[in-house]
Amino acid sequence: MKRFRIKLKFTSPLHIGYKEGAFNLTETIIHSDTIFSGIINCHSLLYGKDKTDNLINEAINGNFKVSSAFYYINDEYLYPRPVGMNFKKYVDDFKKEKKINYVSEEILFGNTKEAYLKDNMLLKKDMKKNVYNVRERPRSTLDRITNASNIFYTSTCVFNEDCGLWFFMDAKDYIIEEIISSIKLLGDEGIGGDRTYGYGQFEFEPLEHYIEDIKDKNLLLSLCIPNEKDKVEDLIFYNIVERGGYIYSNYSKVKRHSLFRMIQEGSIVKGDFKGCIIDDTPEDFNYHKVYKYGRAFLIPLDWEG
């Protein structure tokens, strides 16, 4: 098994919708289920259904998994704030400390004593510019009968120079080349919403990264659906998020995913909490299987809390 840090440099705006009909809202990170779905769809375009079924089986067996994507600034990588962990030694203002949602890798693992607060991010370097800006773009629809126009707005995330998103990917040697090719196609096709307008396109850099063994306390870097062997008592600190969305298929019209309650990134779990991938194929959908990605991506966390 090899681990890569995949560094995404966006060449167009990004729209990640999370509320139906609310085009003026966008997320600024990408969750692991969206990344997995994008890679699988591009793999299907490149290699066909049978080989993609094999790749999904590799993921179900734990031979391929991804984390969610978080911010980077040059060579500084941010992680979700571990639930329950305080940073009062860096920020003495209680109200500002509570707003921290993302923490620099160097701070999280104790490799620097310097810390600067930028919006909801705790960084190792002082930074004047924003990591990203959210911009609204006006669009309109035209009624086919009355010709009446209706203006609405779409929000997009635009990253500043030397800023973007990164995620971890673990994979066995024999499937890495196929996955990297799929990510390259995903960069050309775009990830997220409104790809027909050119949104979500990126270039990427895969950086090989060391793998640490899971310890007693671990930080969750992906969304997670517990499997039947995962124990609730192993959730030390956690948050829950609801995930729905739409099924994107190369073979059929768009359909809805079921609504799932998932453990959120930044939760802290005990031991090797694995999560699972659930068959979410609708009853009237016969083209291929549909899955909801909920495998846990963990890294060890040394923290007495």
Side-chain angles (χ1 to χ4, degrees):
M1 183 80 83
K2 285 185 178 177
R3 173 167 296 175
F4 292 88
R5 191 198 297 268
I6 309 292
K7 201 171 175 181
L8 308 179
K9 179 182 179 182
F10 285 90
T11 56
S12 68
L14 173 68
H15 175 75
I16 303 288
Y18 60 91
K19 188 174 182 181
E20 186 173 355
F23 297 100
N24 60 336
L25 297 175
T26 181
E27 297 226 49
T28 55
I29 66 167
I30 308 174
H31 295 288
S32 51
D33 54 352
T34 300
I35 294 172
F36 181 80
S37 174
I39 293 173
I40 291 299
N41 277 303
C42 288
H43 188 278
S44 177
L45 288 172
L46 287 174
Y47 300 102
K49 181 178 177 301
D50 291 344
K51 292 200 74 171
T52 301
D53 287 344
N54 292 335
L55 181 63
I56 292 171
N57 285 330
E58 295 286 353
I60 291 172
N61 293 326
N63 297 328
F64 165 46
K65 58 183 179 180
V66 295
S67 74
S68 298
F70 310 104
Y71 311 112
Y72 74 78
I73 306 154
N74 293 318
D75 61 348
E76 183 172 8
Y77 302 97
L78 274 67
Y79 288 69
R81 175 183 183 158
V83 178
M85 192 171 185
N86 77 68
F87 295 91
K88 293 176 183 175
K89 66 180 179 181
Y90 297 106
V91 182
D92 55 8
D93 186 310
F94 175 70
K95 291 183 177 178
K96 291 181 178 177
E97 195 271 343
K98 281 184 65 178
K99 293 180 180 177
I100 297 171
N101 290 331
Y102 299 95
V103 182
S104 170
E105 184 177 65
E106 299 291 326
I107 296 171
L108 187 60
F109 297 110
N111 296 324
T112 180
K113 295 181 180 179
E114 298 291 324
Y116 301 89
L117 186 61
K118 174 68 176 175
D119 300 325
N120 63 348
M121 305 173 190
L122 194 61
L123 308 174
K124 72 173 182 179
K125 294 178 182 175
D126 197 7
M127 183 173 172
K128 303 300 180 187
K129 67 180 181 181
N130 295 326
V131 175
Y132 62 85
N133 292 300
V134 174
R135 296 176 182 170
E136 288 194 338
R137 180 179 180 181
R139 293 166 56 188
S140 67
T141 58
L142 196 64
D143 190 292
R144 293 181 179 179
I145 299 175
T146 65
N147 284 334
S149 61
N150 178 42
I151 296 178
F152 65 98
Y153 292 85
T154 300
S155 288
T156 59
C157 173
V158 179
F159 289 96
N160 281 318
E161 188 176 0
D162 300 323
C163 299
L165 298 174
W166 70 273
F167 66 92
F168 276 138
M169 178 189 82
D170 284 1
K172 293 286 188 182
D173 290 352
Y174 54 85
I175 52 176
I176 287 174
E177 186 176 340
E178 289 182 10
I179 297 171
I180 291 295
S181 297
S182 303
I183 296 174
K184 186 175 188 311
L185 179 59
L186 182 60
D188 295 336
E189 292 270 315
I191 190 169
D194 284 341
R195 294 186 295 278
T196 53
Y197 296 95
Y199 290 174
Q201 295 177 344
F202 60 83
E203 298 170 349
F204 75 102
E205 183 180 9
L207 305 170
E208 192 162 346
H209 197 276
Y210 58 89
I211 298 178
E212 287 184 278
D213 293 334
I214 297 302
K215 294 183 178 177
D216 192 44
K217 288 180 181 175
N218 303 285
L219 177 63
L220 180 67
L221 295 182
S222 64
L223 295 175
C224 175
I225 303 170
N227 67 35
E228 67 276 7
K229 294 182 180 178
D230 292 326
K231 299 175 183 176
V232 175
E233 54 266 32
D234 287 341
L235 297 171
I236 301 172
F237 296 103
Y238 65 96
N239 286 324
I240 300 292
V241 63
E242 288 189 346
R243 295 284 288 172
Y246 290 90
I247 298 165
Y248 175 76
S249 170
N250 299 322
Y251 303 94
S252 174
K253 292 181 178 178
V254 173
K255 298 184 75 69
R256 288 176 181 273
H257 265 298
S258 304
L259 187 64
F260 291 89
R261 301 192 76 199
M262 306 176 76
I263 305 169
Q264 196 172 26
E265 304 96 336
S267 299
I268 299 175
V269 302
K270 183 179 179 182
D272 192 9
F273 206 89
K274 292 188 179 303
C276 64
I277 299 173
I278 289 182
D279 186 341
D280 189 34
T281 310
E283 290 184 0
D284 58 344
F285 191 89
N286 303 315
Y287 300 93
H288 54 75
K289 291 284 187 182
V290 175
Y291 295 92
K292 190 64 175 177
Y293 183 77
R295 284 201 68 89
F297 198 107
L298 301 174
I299 58 168
L301 183 68
D302 291 323
W303 175 47
E304 296 297 327

